Amino acid sequence: MSTLVASDLCFSFGDRPVLEDVRFDLAPGEVVGLIGPNGAGKSTLMKMFVRLLEPSTGSLLFDGKPLSGIPPGTLARQMAYLPQSQEIYWPLTAGKVVALGRIPHLAPWESLGPEDEEAIAEAMRATDTLHLAGRPVDQLAGGEQRLVLIARLLASAPSVILADEPVMGLDPCHELQVMELFRDLAVRKGKSVAVVLHNLTLAARFCDRIFLMHRGKILTAGAPDLVLREEYLRESYGIEARYGREKDGFYVIPWKRIGTI
Amino acid sequence: MKKNSAVLYAVLLAGLAGAFLFSLGIGEMKFSLAGALADWLSGRMSEAAVVFSEIRLPRAILAVLVGASLGLSGAAMQGLLRNPLAEPGVLGVTGGAALGAVLVFYAGGASVFGMALPLGGMAGAFVSVWALYFFAGLTAGVQTLILAGIALNTLAFAGTSLALNLSSNPYAALEIVFWQMGSLSDRSFEHVWLALPFVLAGWGLLLWNGRALDALTLGEETAASLGISLKALRRRLVWGTALAVGASVSVCGSIGFVGLVVPHLLRPWVGQEPGKLLKASALGGAILLLVADSAVRLIPSLNELKLGVVTSLVGAPFFIYLIMKMRRSLL
């Protein structure tokens, strides 16, 4: 009973294949990491889950039903997506930006109710952004904007969270905070969380499973210690890594490049 | 925040009522508005009642309809394109409506029956929307829509120039030029009734999009993931603008800068929210046009100043000021 199941997904931009026979699944209560070099197809895969792109072949099931059959409004209430790009076109206050996350829950003319306000405040509390609520977003630092956008994601109170590089531009403390938050949402609230990451240690420490993508394919998938192995990192990223172990997990540090692959 | 927007709407509504009454009071003939209104309502067609009901009232009502259409669609276009420099004509609808009306002029249709001109304008607006979809495709993205709009505007301008160029009658050419400048003088309730259904339908389509435009603040991908159908949004905005602005241009020619400047002025007062800006800009546009149309009648000049000339004369320097302010904030 997985929440989101993708099988044999293919997609191409023109005649350049971007995804080939991708299999992916995401279940309630787990954090799944999507890693891989730039251009491997991670973001494209994410966009298919929220139907920003349609696969050319293959199937996408959400709770056993074809994703394409679910009305956009219904899907938006259950699935929230944080794109990689950080565009905020009008300088709304941070509080107003987070409130946009409630849109799927509101009727066209309905204004925010107490339940919405509570969801917004909770999301901002969890991301440490409550003190920014009244500030216009164009006056915030890049990392603060990222946190506000993550709060927006959480304010939707979705059962599935899809975040494309959520920790981009965050300082080490907030990186850890955001990953702990995702972990907590999965473990304590049973949410399904999928995150695109470039930080291998964060992936190793906070993900239950990792999908390593390379050139549009899933190179390997499974538990972090099985995926983040030397041979796979060499083949996909073309790097050599150093490993270390602590009581509560292991870390992976990219060490040097290996010629060309 | 809620209190703030209540204050804003109260101020705008009071401004609208004031500007409306002020506009009714301006003209060559002096009379008491209350007396004229009482005469008119009781069916006693005194001189004052005739001037009030057949000249001033339709003029003021048209100013409200046209001004609100321009303000509203300007705010909608800026929200859709996420660009503070967008204006109602950006998709080519205004150009199309103007060309339609000019072609009627050229063919001599205006003298056959009075309503031929606005009908031609409306036809032009609709043709330009079809052309927009034909050029840009039904699923066009924002960039394609803008480019198609530029192409259409250029085409419409070329067509208008050609009509002027080929016009054998210099008076007709002069009339075309004057009409294009935009004016609300000598309009009757016939014009109001002609424009009203289209304008109201357009408002309906435009006002519906507040929440979707809010969502677009975070870009198209996030908006789509929030359940907003971008295709439906674009369709509503394009048709809404075509109906409201097309009908406006058809009855009173092209009036520049209202749709550009009003959303700009009001944006800080609605916390930059594109959804709230829609209603506020509609009210603001109506006020601005009523004031401009009153100014046209109050400024002494040999020929009556054309409304579009005044709005551009005031609007362009103001716009330059905005650009300079923006440049400073970028530095």
Side-chain angles (χ1 to χ4, degrees):
Chain A
M1 256 313 280
S2 281
T3 314
L4 193 61
V5 180
S7 28
D8 307 321
L9 288 188
C10 292
F11 181 78
S12 44
F13 281 125
D15 49 10
R16 191 174 65 84
V18 182
L19 294 182
E20 285 178 80
D21 301 321
V22 168
R23 283 161 180 268
F24 179 89
D25 62 290
L26 176 64
E30 66 170 351
V31 177
V32 166
L34 261 177
I35 65 170
N38 297 355
K42 306 179 296 294
S43 297
T44 306
L45 184 59
M46 279 263 171
K47 285 179 190 180
M48 279 182 187
F49 298 152
V50 269
R51 300 197 62 213
L52 292 173
L53 295 171
E54 295 293 331
S56 29
T57 57
S59 86
L60 265 171
L61 298 179
F62 184 58
D63 279 339
K65 280 171 279 187
L67 196 67
S68 55
I70 303 171
T74 314
L75 193 63
R77 278 192 287 280
Q78 303 188 38
M79 221 187 246
Y81 165 67
L82 177 77
Q84 194 179 338
S85 76
Q86 189 149 312
E87 26 184 27
I88 307 177
Y89 287 92
W90 307 109
L92 307 188
T93 60
K96 292 285 178 186
V97 168
V98 177
L100 294 177
R102 296 305 296 172
I103 286 178
H105 301 276
L106 297 171
W109 300 102
E110 198 183 350
S111 48
L112 297 174
E115 196 184 317
D116 302 305
E117 303 282 4
E118 182 45 44
I120 293 164
E122 199 190 315
M124 296 190 83
R125 223 175 288 131
T127 50
D128 240 2
T129 51
L130 212 47
H131 66 289
L132 304 173
R135 300 245 313 263
V137 283
D138 61 340
Q139 294 173 15
L140 301 181
E144 289 174 324
Q145 284 186 6
R146 198 68 185 158
L147 286 174
V148 168
L149 290 177
I150 291 172
R152 192 283 301 164
L153 175 86
L154 301 179
S156 297
S159 51
V160 179
I161 292 169
L162 305 166
D164 198 342
E165 294 195 37
V167 297
M168 186 172 58
L170 297 187
D171 60 51
C173 175
H174 283 114
E175 271 187 346
L176 291 172
Q177 183 191 10
V178 167
M179 293 312 293
E180 279 165 14
L181 186 59
F182 284 149
R183 192 73 251 137
D184 187 62
L185 285 169
V187 174
R188 292 211 358 252
K189 299 198 173 156
K191 314 259 183 197
S192 321
V193 182
V195 278
V196 173
L197 290 171
H198 279 305
N199 183 325
L200 301 178
T201 299
L202 288 183
R205 292 194 50 205
F206 292 97
C207 296
D208 297 293
R209 289 186 300 143
I210 295 177
F211 286 75
L212 172 56
M213 292 188 76
H214 181 48
R215 295 187 178 155
K217 293 180 180 153
I218 304 286
L219 185 63
T220 181
D225 53 343
L226 297 178
V227 171
L228 296 170
R229 278 158 52 176
E230 252 172 79
E231 65 259 40
Y232 293 128
L233 296 187
R234 191 180 307 130
E235 187 180 346
S236 58
Y237 291 102
I239 57 162
E240 218 174 83
R242 297 286 182 269
Y243 298 83
R245 184 163 286 282
E246 290 291 324
K247 279 200 298 292
D248 52 349
F250 72 106
Y251 50 87
V252 189
I253 299 167
W255 203 252
K256 62 181 177 192
R257 295 190 298 142
I258 300 168
T260 45
I261 39 164
Chain B
M1 209 62 213
K2 258 175 203 145
K3 211 183 280 172
N4 282 352
S5 59
V7 170
L8 176 73
Y9 288 126
V11 168
L12 286 173
L13 282 172
L16 180 63
F20 191 80
L21 289 175
F22 185 68
S23 164
L24 287 177
I26 296 173
E28 278 175 30
M29 207 178 127
K30 303 281 173 241
F31 54 82
S32 121
L33 279 182
L37 182 65
D39 281 357
W40 180 49
L41 289 178
S42 61
R44 194 154 18 93
M45 278 322 219
S46 65
E47 205 180 347
V50 171
V51 171
F52 173 78
S53 67
E54 286 177 15
I55 297 175
R56 304 246 182 113
L57 194 57
R59 183 169 188 155
I61 291 175
L62 274 179
V64 171
L65 294 182
V66 172
S69 297
L70 292 173
L72 176 58
S73 53
M77 285 299 127
Q78 294 184 0
L80 174 67
L81 306 180
R82 282 155 283 150
N83 188 330
L85 303 186
E87 46 101 26
V90 70
L91 298 182
V93 177
T94 359
L99 178 62
V102 166
L103 288 180
V104 170
F105 254 126
Y106 182 70
S111 52
V112 179
F113 80 117
M115 285 298 126
L117 193 63
L119 286 173
M122 233 100 84
F126 284 116
V127 169
S128 72
V129 173
W130 287 118
L132 185 73
Y133 280 130
F134 181 75
F135 292 156
L138 282 171
T139 55
V142 161
Q143 299 298 334
T144 326
L145 278 180
I146 296 178
L147 289 175
I150 292 174
L152 277 174
N153 271 326
T154 315
L155 207 60
F157 183 73
T160 313
S161 306
L162 184 68
L164 284 171
N165 194 170
L166 294 182
S167 170
S168 53
N169 180 349
Y171 292 107
L174 194 64
E175 230 180 311
I176 292 178
V177 171
F178 272 144
W179 180 84
Q180 274 190 303
M181 289 176 183
S183 169
L184 286 171
S185 62
D186 306 322
R187 302 300 195 269
S188 66
F189 264 112
E190 254 183 284
H191 291 94
V192 173
W193 298 135
L194 182 72
L196 191 66
F198 296 99
V199 165
L200 290 183
W203 289 0
L205 281 172
L206 291 173
L207 284 170
W208 188 253
N209 304 296
R211 191 143 285 152
L213 291 176
D214 282 344
L216 263 187
T217 302
L218 298 181
E220 299 196 345
E221 292 184 343
T222 305
S225 78
L226 287 168
I228 306 292
S229 161
L230 297 173
K231 231 191 317 182
L233 170 69
R234 288 191 204 112
R235 197 165 47 224
R236 285 194 301 268
L237 291 180
V238 167
W239 280 107
T241 303
L243 286 164
V245 177
S248 300
V249 173
S250 302
V251 293
C252 68
S254 352
I255 292 168
F257 283 99
V258 175
L260 180 68
V261 165
V262 167
H264 244 301
L265 276 176
L266 293 172
R267 188 168 283 119
W269 299 95
V270 293
Q272 309 274 340
E273 287 178 69
K276 274 190 195 157
L277 187 60
L278 291 177
K279 263 181 284 176
S281 290
L283 291 169
I287 295 172
L288 185 62
L289 210 61
L290 280 168
V291 170
D293 187 49
S294 304
V296 160
R297 284 174 283 167
L298 287 172
I299 298 168
S301 67
L302 221 52
N303 296 330
E304 183 180 293
L305 279 173
K306 297 290 181 189
L307 184 56
V309 177
V310 172
T311 56
S312 299
L313 266 181
V314 179
F318 180 75
F319 190 57
I320 293 169
Y321 161 75
L322 283 178
I323 293 173
M324 291 174 64
K325 212 172 79 173
M326 208 146 92
R327 192 185 60 182
R328 219 168 310 145
S329 75
L330 284 178
L331 283 175

